[in-house]
Amino acid sequence: QVIDKVLDQEVTIPDLAQGKEYLFRVSACNKCGPGEPAYIDEPVNMRAPATVPDPPENVKWRDPTSKSIFLMWDPPKYDGGSRIKGYIVEKCQRGTDKWEPCGEPVTETKMKVEPLKEGEWYAYRVKALNRQGASKPSHPTDEIQAVDAMEAPEIFLDVKLLAGITVKAGTKIELPATVTGKPEPRITWTKAENILRPDKRISIESKPNHSTVIITDSKRSDSGTYIIEAVNTSGRATATVEVNVLDKPGPPAAFDVSEITNVSCLLTWNPPRDDGGSKITNYVLEQRAADSEIWHKLSSTIKETKFKVTKLTPLKEYIFRVSAENMYGVGEPALSNPMIAKYPFDTPGPPTGLKPIEITKDSVTLTWTEPDEDGGSPITGYWVERFDPDQDKWIRCNKIPVKDTTFKVKGLTNHKKYKFRVLAENLAGPGKPSKPTEPILVKDPIDPPWPPGKPTVKDVAKTSCFLQWTKPEHDGGAKIESYVVELLKTGTDEWVRVAEGVPMTEHFLKGLMEKQEYSFRIRAVNKAGESEPSEPSDPVLCKERLSPPSPPRWLEVINITKNTADLKWTVPEKDGGSPITNYIVEKRDVRRKGWQTVDTTVKDTKYTVTPLTEGSLYVFRVAAENAVGQSDYCEIEDSVLAKDTFTTPGAPYAL
């Protein structure tokens, strides 16, 4: 208790300590004693005498309309040593210097100011209040006109339209949209860049902030992208709705008739440009004669876009039509142009120049020249016929058409005469026959044989070599009795006989000169004489015999990681008389039997094998190669594991 018996409603408390904070309470007394006390709201700091607060700061505004505006501000930096009790908001109308309060003081740092005069301009400022009074006013705002704000349009589609809508043909379609904006926007609906206008099926319902397109008895053509556009003086907004109307498919495209013969044709087409929004399941194909109105169904289960029509009546005119079908039904048909069942070309003319080129005791080989005219279609083959005087008719000698202009007629009788002719054939059929040959006597002629095959030279040594060749393709009509071997020294023009009466198609030749290069050729001999010489062999040089090298040595793995292995080896003990040209490196996963070639062009005696599969066991092997051939392999003794030789550290312990 500081003081009692105070009769006024205010008192000064002396002897307070500077820098301390104090709380105070007051109780009223009557004859019965003191009542309940009243407390001050917050402690009083005795640092210095209290003053009015600093002005509020950073006055801002938002949501201006013709009747109101919303203000916000920051508290003063210094409250004057006393709590801020409230704020006074003032306004000043343009053309006057009078600041008027905008209602009662507010306790928050925001206020909605109303009412305002529409169209007038106002500036606003704020004062802070504490126990000592009102602060100086804040910095005033710019003058703001009391008019309704302009809002750019916004369009809100019904949620079921956002992903587009799919309906069956005939279903009613509704496209509702909510549109906001100030002033009220002008709304336009378009489809495929065309403005949507009401007609018998389409209507547009417009209400404030709403617009709805209604389509009754929908059709496939109603499918597409619908665009709603809202425009006012503040901006423009658009939204789209995808509409898919499912219906029967349209007509197939590019219907064409080709490969026409006198009994068949090929029909082809493309799928409809519009499948009705549903997968095409099949096609329905029909035909009718040009002189009839009755359509006959050829097939209703066609899956492909082509069909081979058969059993047509030659030279008759036909029309075809094809329709596509989906789960909603059969669509409109596509019609073909009329066509006549006939080939668009004629049979070929007669071949010329028919003559025999080989006669044996039971066969004749004929050759001829293709016709001058193919009838408008490529020649597909030839028929060879012989005349049978006993039956007085021409008999075919081949069972299938001959593709070439040469044919060997077999099964003839020895010492009998035959006449032959040839007919060319195209898609229209066989053409006119060639002029027949003169009678040909079938007998067994004997001529010198044809040349043997080109000899190959093997096992070349200092003074010898081994020759091999193939027998002639034709023995001249008599058995091959022997062969003659001839040689040519490189640098000379004279072929020298070195062996006669050779009975086999191989011969070991001795007595050659070391370091001399030779070529060889062969003649075949039958009872009619010697053949022309064969094609000469490739030149060979007589020298010490070469051989493949011995295997590499001391193969080892010097480093291994999870996907590579470094190999190292020593050159072979013997190179086979020819320098080592390269090494062949192979690897094998021990779980598999087969070796896998890694590289066949290694020049060095070390190599890095990659890639390897981490965690797999591998073995490796290496072979050397020279001009003669490949050595045996040198293989490591133990398998190696494909893994890194170091890993990440283990976990710390004793944490």
Side-chain angles (χ1 to χ4, degrees), residues 127-150:
K127 297 178 180 178
L129 291 174
N130 66 6
R131 287 185 302 174
Q132 302 301 317
S135 70
K136 292 183 180 180
S138 67
H139 184 74
T141 66
D142 295 334
E143 291 184 340
I144 306 161
Q145 190 176 20
V147 293
D148 288 327
M150 304 294 286

Side-chain angles (χ1 to χ4, degrees), residues 286-479:
E286 299 172 294
Q287 77 174 30
R288 70 174 176 88
D291 56 1
S292 172
E293 296 297 326
I294 300 175
W295 289 94
H296 299 279
K297 187 175 292 185
L298 295 176
S299 178
S300 60
T301 59
I302 303 172
K303 300 296 183 182
E304 298 181 330
T305 56
K306 62 181 179 179
F307 188 82
K308 180 74 175 286
V309 181
T310 58
K311 299 180 181 179
L312 299 178
T313 302
L315 303 180
K316 194 168 185 177
E317 188 174 22
Y318 292 91
I319 300 174
F320 302 93
R321 69 182 183 185
V322 63
S323 306
E325 185 172 2
N326 64 11
M327 64 182 296
Y328 299 103
V330 179
E332 290 294 317
L335 266 67
S336 72
N337 293 323
M339 57 78 65
I340 299 176
K342 65 179 288 293
Y343 283 107
F345 43 80
D346 299 321
T347 57
T352 59
L354 177 63
K355 62 182 179 180
I357 58 173
E358 183 182 0
I359 303 172
T360 69
K361 63 182 180 181
D362 60 356
S363 67
V364 174
T365 301
L366 302 170
T367 185
W368 59 89
T369 304
E370 62 184 17
D372 295 333
E373 298 292 337
D374 62 6
S377 177
I379 302 295
T380 57
Y382 296 92
W383 294 102
V384 178
E385 297 180 341
R386 64 177 173 85
F387 184 72
D388 187 341
D390 297 333
Q391 302 183 44
D392 193 27
K393 68 177 184 179
W394 291 90
I395 300 174
R396 282 188 176 175
C397 301
N398 47 325
K399 295 181 180 180
I400 59 175
V402 179
K403 301 297 183 182
D404 297 326
T405 56
T406 301
F407 183 71
K408 184 175 184 178
V409 183
K410 300 179 180 179
L412 304 179
T413 303
N414 196 14
H415 298 294
K416 186 175 180 179
K417 291 185 177 181
Y418 292 90
K419 290 194 299 183
F420 300 93
R421 71 180 187 183
V422 180
L423 300 86
E425 184 178 61
N426 63 10
L427 290 177
K432 295 179 180 179
S434 68
K435 183 180 177 181
T437 64
E438 295 295 329
I440 299 172
L441 178 63
V442 176
K443 64 182 183 69
D444 189 7
I446 298 176
D447 296 313
W450 291 5
K454 176 181 176 180
T456 57
V457 186
K458 298 182 177 180
D459 298 334
V460 180
K462 289 194 293 185
T463 60
S464 64
C465 66
F466 186 74
L467 303 177
Q468 284 184 321
W469 59 90
T470 57
K471 61 184 180 180
E473 293 182 8
H474 179 53
D475 61 7
K479 179 182 177 181

Side-chain angles (χ1 to χ4, degrees), residues 487-494 516-519 538-541:
L487 66 76
L488 174 71
K489 293 182 180 180
T490 300
T492 67
D493 297 327
E494 181 181 359
Q516 175 63 52
E517 190 175 63
Y518 295 95
S519 298
D538 295 330
V540 295
L541 181 64

Side-chain angles (χ1 to χ4, degrees), residues 71-86:
L71 300 178
M72 302 164 292
W73 57 89
D74 294 335
K77 288 184 178 179
Y78 177 57
D79 61 4
S82 178
R83 182 178 62 86
I84 302 297
K85 296 196 298 182

Side-chain angles (χ1 to χ4, degrees), residues 207-253:
K207 298 178 182 178
N209 296 335
H210 289 86
S211 180
T212 304
V213 172
I214 300 174
I215 304 174
T216 59
D217 190 22
S218 59
K219 300 179 180 180
R220 177 64 179 165
S221 59
D222 293 325
S223 298
T225 302
Y226 290 76
I227 302 175
I228 178 174
E229 181 184 50
V231 179
N232 66 10
T233 55
S234 296
R236 170 180 175 272
T238 62
T240 61
V241 181
E242 295 293 337
V243 175
N244 186 20
V245 181
L246 305 177
D247 202 354
K248 295 179 290 187

